[in-house]
Amino acid sequence: MSDPELFERHPSNPILTARDWPYTVNAVFNPAVAHLDGETLLLARVEDRSGISHLCVARSRDGVSHWVVEPERRLLPDLASEAERYGIEDPRVTICGDEHMIVYTGYSNVGPLVRLASTRDFREFERHGTVMPPEDKDAALFPRRFPQAGDRWALIHRPVSTLPRPGAQIWLSWSPDLHHWGDHTVLLPAREGGWWDAHRVGLCTPPLETERGWLILYHGVRVTTAGSIYRVGIALLDLERPDRVLARSDEWVLGPEAPYERAGDVPQVVFPCGWLLGDDGDTLRVYYGAADTSICLATASLRTLLDWLERHSS
Ligand code: BMA
């Protein structure tokens, strides 16, 4: 008997497309998500018709419908800086104290790099510069310091490497001040051969603290003769030492299946950058980009995911 699907796609998918934008854009995708003042807030990646991406805020009471998209581009790339020369992409939001810390990709003149900004209200943003040099992306912060690791902050990110073959692995780095980073270590390597995550892996959603460990979604890329397929797996990290992997799913848990995931500017892509845990402590709402074209929503039960991972971990 086959396992039931762990994620349920919302029947209204895609919940947001370029047609919902108050100004002319090409595509909206890969949003970060936050819960603010009783509303679900998406910080969406918006690619305009120059090909350059910026970030824009959309708000909804129920997180599904009646989205109010801000009429202005909220966080624009600093085109005068080399670090954001070709745009800003794929934000992930983590609450650290009173601040929402936003880790995003700066598309620099020498490739993608990891940038940090913060905001309290998603109206005013403060930039904190580049935290990882190119080529690096798919990064997010943990929401607290780790006493058992020298009371430091931790960042998951995804530098590109050339050995054992060209690809990219997920790394974890430590910092005393969110500014200086060190003790870099490989967290999740890409697998090999025919595996679904054999070519590249990268973090999807920011780490979520659960009783059993930090849960993350990560994407795995398989390169085929027809192009790349982006799918999503899960992993669990030790609560006090998140550089220790407790479990990693042997199968993907979400992959391109629906027409809006299989066709678009970049076909065969599901790419979550944010999730919210419901008041029931169990219902996860995962927001993801579909085919680099639209924004979609899928839900899952946290308990079911954790139980499934115990039985499907390699
Ligand atoms: C990744 C990122 C994402 C994108 C994905 C699929 O490398 O650039 O922004 O959604 O590729 O194109």
Side-chain angles (χ1 to χ4, degrees), residues 29-30 45 89-90 137-138 158 200 219 230 266 269 271 292:
F29 53 116
N30 302 0
R45 170 175 170 189
E89 306 178 351
D90 303 353
K137 54 163 68 170
D138 299 328
R158 206 289 301 273
R200 280 193 301 277
H219 60 262
Y230 279 72
V266 184
V269 176
F271 204 92
D292 286 10

Side-chain angles (χ1 to χ4, degrees), residues 235-250:
L236 195 67
L237 314 176
D238 186 85
L239 275 180
E240 299 312 323
R241 286 299 308 234
D243 49 346
R244 294 181 188 143
V245 179
L246 303 177
R248 173 180 183 172
S249 62
D250 47 16

Side-chain angles (χ1 to χ4, degrees), residues 127-209:
R127 278 179 164 85
H128 304 286
T130 298
V131 291
M132 290 292 159
E135 180 172 342
D136 204 334
K137 54 163 68 170
D138 299 328
L141 280 170
F142 288 79
R144 60 171 172 82
R145 293 174 182 268
F146 290 90
Q148 290 180 21
D151 207 28
R152 291 179 293 176
W153 299 97
L155 178 84
I156 297 179
H157 56 113
R158 206 289 301 273
V160 165
S161 45
T162 53
L163 292 173
R165 67 207 126 75
Q169 332 284 339
I170 299 177
W171 288 63
L172 186 144
S173 301
W174 299 98
S175 172
D177 56 6
L178 294 178
H179 191 62
H180 300 91
W181 293 91
D183 286 347
H184 313 288
T185 176
V186 173
L187 186 67
L188 284 185
R191 280 184 272 216
E192 296 187 356
W195 277 91
W196 65 274
D197 53 357
H199 188 72
R200 280 193 301 277
V201 288
L203 181 72
C204 289
T205 48
L208 177 74
E209 192 163 7

Side-chain angles (χ1 to χ4, degrees), residues 11-188:
S12 309
N13 275 349
I15 56 168
L16 281 166
T17 72
R19 284 186 296 281
D20 299 307
W21 245 247
Y23 48 94
T24 304
V25 302
N26 174 53
V28 298
F29 53 116
N30 302 0
V33 60
H35 188 74
L36 193 71
D37 301 331
E39 291 183 311
T40 298
L41 184 150
L42 297 182
L43 187 63
R45 170 175 170 189
V46 179
E47 186 188 291
D48 67 24
R49 291 194 183 177
S50 70
I52 306 278
S53 292
H54 62 274
L55 307 182
C56 182
V57 170
R59 293 186 164 81
S60 159
R61 281 265 150 216
D62 63 6
V64 178
S65 58
H66 300 96
W67 291 96
V68 177
V69 180
E70 290 194 346
E72 68 204 70
R73 295 157 169 83
R74 186 51 78 175
L75 195 58
L76 279 168
D78 177 4
L79 296 176
S81 83
E82 292 183 348
E84 299 186 1
R85 175 72 52 84
Y86 302 120
I88 54 177
E89 306 178 351
D90 303 353
R92 275 90 171 176
V93 169
T94 301
I95 298 180
C96 300
D98 295 337
E99 298 280 352
H100 290 86
M101 304 303 294
I102 304 164
V103 184
Y104 61 98
T105 303
Y107 192 166
S108 84
N109 59 333
V110 286
L113 42 73
V114 179
R115 303 273 288 167
L116 182 64
S118 62
T119 183
R120 285 178 183 226
D121 55 8
F122 288 86
R123 294 180 203 285
E124 304 289 329
F125 295 83
E126 190 181 344
R127 278 179 164 85
H128 304 286
T130 298
V131 291
M132 290 292 159
E135 180 172 342
D136 204 334
K137 54 163 68 170
D138 299 328
L141 280 170
F142 288 79
R144 60 171 172 82
R145 293 174 182 268
F146 290 90
Q148 290 180 21
D151 207 28
R152 291 179 293 176
W153 299 97
L155 178 84
I156 297 179
H157 56 113
R158 206 289 301 273
V160 165
S161 45
T162 53
L163 292 173
R165 67 207 126 75
Q169 332 284 339
I170 299 177
W171 288 63
L172 186 144
S173 301
W174 299 98
S175 172
D177 56 6
L178 294 178
H179 191 62
H180 300 91
W181 293 91
D183 286 347
H184 313 288
T185 176
V186 173
L187 186 67
L188 284 185

